[in-house]
Amino acid sequence: MKNERLTWIDGLRGLACILIFTHHFLVSFFPSSYNGDPNTSRMIYGLDVKWANSPLSFIICGNFWVSVFCLVSGLVLGYQIYRAKTTNEVSSMVLKRYPRLCFPLTVVSFAAWIMMQFSLFPTAEVQKLSTSSWIVSAYGDKPSFLQFLNTTFVATWLNGDHTYSPAFWLMNIFLSGSFLAYLLALMTKNRKLLSILVFICFIAFFLYTDALFNFAFTLGVALAYRIFYFEPKKYAKYFGVLFVLVGLYLGGYPSEAYPQGFYLWLGVNVNQRYAPVWQFFHIVGALFLVWGIYCLKPLCTLFSTKLFRFLGKISYAVFLIHCPVIFSWSCFLFLKLYRACGRYMISAAASFLTSTILLILLSTLFQKYVEAPLGNLIKKLDHWLFLSE
């Protein structure tokens, strides 16, 4: 059994958040890179349309990296339970999960609420140029302070209300998936045959009910079980390369564009009784990618370097802040530049570059001066509660 921290997981999570930001930026300014519609193409030679059906589209496929994030979260949370030596450690993890997610989000939501009161999101003007329907999907109202409180502390976590960031629809999935991961890890901790039966039953249930993000969390915990209780086989590195390639290939399956070329044989992207086929492919692709990285020591070493560990450290801040940055600064600068030069590509590229720098800077400050102090406060409260008992 192992007790070391999986530092490479932090690096992978950080990369996933940066690529989710990239995806949302492109959906805002180059929607054809997502939907493959030539009528909304904004790149020369229709490169955005071609990209939508290219195997390289995994780089900017937001749903794939969300799947990676969910699976990795299940892996990390499950691994923490397997490492825990006392029941106090386990109960502390469970009790702290909601405030750890909610308190930093509250700060970002409040900032967005203030900006909404002063109409600081110029998305309507950008939408006329980019034709992206997603860019006008948020920040159009001016909610009251009571609505802000209800949304931030209740609605976001119960039904995925995304008033203060289009990315917040995932927060109820993150919260419920966290408790699911804790439950699965506790049910399978220090068990053998029962663990296999538990994982099979939960996987079958979530596939049958189309709860595919819960399916992703379950796969993450199952992988944590595999990593914690079993040493990697000597021949694992040979499968690692194949697993990574399969994962990236499935991760590039188009979410909205009609599958063509390399993906046509996998099936047609249609919404019928079951969840979209692309979501299933992305989750399975995430499993292959994470498992493949684990099998390849060079990749584990790469994702454990200072750069990726830094990205992992600020990953939650990046996730919380990136949409308000895109809908405010990115749109503002793009409009300024486009009015000055009339060049769409140049304006969007400059906006993306500066937005990336600003996002990393704000996320670093947010992690240091908001997220870390709040985390320390939660630890002190948790310690006080245990002492009072």
Side-chain angles (χ1 to χ4, degrees):
M1 297 196 309
K2 305 174 184 179
N3 286 299
E4 69 271 14
R5 180 180 175 85
L6 302 176
T7 55
W8 61 273
I9 284 292
D10 295 329
L12 180 59
R13 183 161 48 187
L15 176 64
C17 281
I18 292 295
L19 293 178
I20 289 172
F21 154 69
T22 304
H23 163 75
H24 282 153
F25 185 93
L26 290 174
V27 171
S28 300
F29 293 92
F30 300 96
S32 292
S33 64
Y34 177 69
N35 59 34
D37 184 2
N39 296 317
T40 59
S41 176
R42 291 295 179 269
M43 289 188 181
I44 58 173
Y45 309 121
L47 292 178
D48 45 356
V49 177
K50 296 175 182 177
W51 190 273
N53 277 291
S54 166
L56 294 177
S57 63
F58 73 84
I59 299 173
I60 58 168
C61 184
N63 187 77
F64 171 60
W65 292 109
V66 166
S67 300
V68 170
F69 197 88
C70 289
L71 189 140
V72 163
S73 296
L75 193 161
V76 170
L77 297 175
Y79 197 82
Q80 288 175 350
I81 294 295
Y82 295 139
R83 289 177 62 193
K85 297 179 181 179
T86 65
T87 54
N88 280 355
E89 289 183 63
V90 175
S91 59
S92 177
M93 293 178 198
V94 176
L95 285 172
K96 290 189 293 187
R97 191 58 181 167
Y98 172 74
R100 276 191 178 277
L101 292 174
C102 183
F103 287 3
L105 178 140
T106 302
V107 177
V108 175
S109 294
F110 182 71
W113 179 78
I114 293 293
M115 296 173 71
M116 292 169 72
Q117 305 307 308
F118 293 94
S119 302
L120 298 180
F121 296 101
T123 56
E125 296 179 68
V126 174
Q127 195 275 336
K128 295 177 182 178
L129 298 171
S130 70
T131 68
S132 170
S133 57
W134 189 79
I135 194 68
V136 291
S137 62
Y139 305 124
D141 300 325
K142 294 183 179 181
S144 68
F145 187 70
L146 287 178
Q147 289 174 316
F148 158 76
L149 293 176
N150 177 69
T151 299
T152 302
F153 292 103
V154 181
T156 296
W157 308 100
L158 290 183
N159 55 32
D161 189 298
H162 51 274
T163 300
Y164 302 107
S165 171
F168 285 0
W169 67 273
L170 283 165
M171 299 314 299
N172 68 324
I173 294 174
F174 288 159
L175 184 63
S176 61
S178 298
F179 292 135
L180 169 65
Y182 289 140
L183 174 64
L184 281 170
L186 287 170
M187 293 175 67
T188 56
K189 186 178 175 69
N190 297 322
R191 300 181 184 274
K192 295 182 179 180
L193 179 61
L194 178 62
S195 300
I196 299 174
L197 295 175
V198 168
F199 286 128
I200 290 175
C201 289
F202 273 84
I203 288 172
F205 175 76
F206 291 134
L207 286 177
Y208 178 76
T209 58
D210 301 337
L212 293 187
F213 283 116
N214 286 336
F215 169 56
F217 273 92
T218 304
L219 291 179
V221 179
L223 189 54
Y225 182 91
R226 172 68 179 80
I227 292 174
F228 187 79
Y229 288 108
F230 299 92
E231 292 291 335
K233 303 296 184 181
K234 293 182 179 180
Y235 51 80
K237 60 182 178 181
Y238 301 109
F239 287 96
V241 175
L242 177 63
F243 286 173
V244 169
L245 292 176
V246 171
L248 295 179
Y249 170 73
L250 292 176
Y253 191 88
S255 302
E256 186 170 323
Y258 191 91
Q260 297 178 14
F262 292 99
Y263 293 108
L264 189 58
W265 70 278
L266 285 175
V268 178
N269 183 3
V270 293
N271 289 312
Q272 295 179 347
R273 180 207 178 284
Y274 297 100
V277 66
W278 49 264
Q279 192 170 326
F280 173 78
F281 286 147
H282 289 167
I283 293 172
V284 174
L287 173 64
F288 275 106
L289 175 64
V290 177
W291 198 350
I293 292 174
Y294 167 69
C295 293
L296 296 171
K297 287 186 177 180
L299 285 182
C300 289
T301 302
L302 173 64
F303 284 110
S304 298
T305 56
K306 289 184 178 180
L307 173 61
F308 283 101
R309 289 170 65 183
F310 164 73
L311 292 177
K313 186 177 181 180
I314 65 171
S315 60
Y316 189 47
V318 169
F319 181 82
L320 294 177
I321 295 172
H322 78 274
C323 278
V325 168
I326 293 174
F327 281 61
S328 59
W329 170 258
S330 300
C331 290
F332 172 79
L333 182 61
F334 168 79
L335 290 172
K336 285 288 185 181
L337 294 175
Y338 185 76
R339 289 166 183 165
C341 70
R343 305 287 294 274
Y344 192 95
M345 282 285 294
I346 293 177
S347 303
S351 176
F352 175 74
L353 179 60
T354 58
S355 298
T356 304
I357 296 172
L358 178 62
L359 175 64
I360 292 176
L361 176 61
L362 290 176
S363 299
T364 303
L365 295 174
F366 186 87
Q367 193 283 325
K368 183 176 181 179
Y369 295 109
V370 177
E371 191 177 349
L374 287 174
N376 291 331
L377 174 62
I378 294 169
K379 285 182 181 179
K380 290 179 180 179
L381 291 174
D382 177 64
H383 183 64
W384 177 79
L385 287 173
F386 274 112
L387 286 179
S388 65
E389 292 293 333

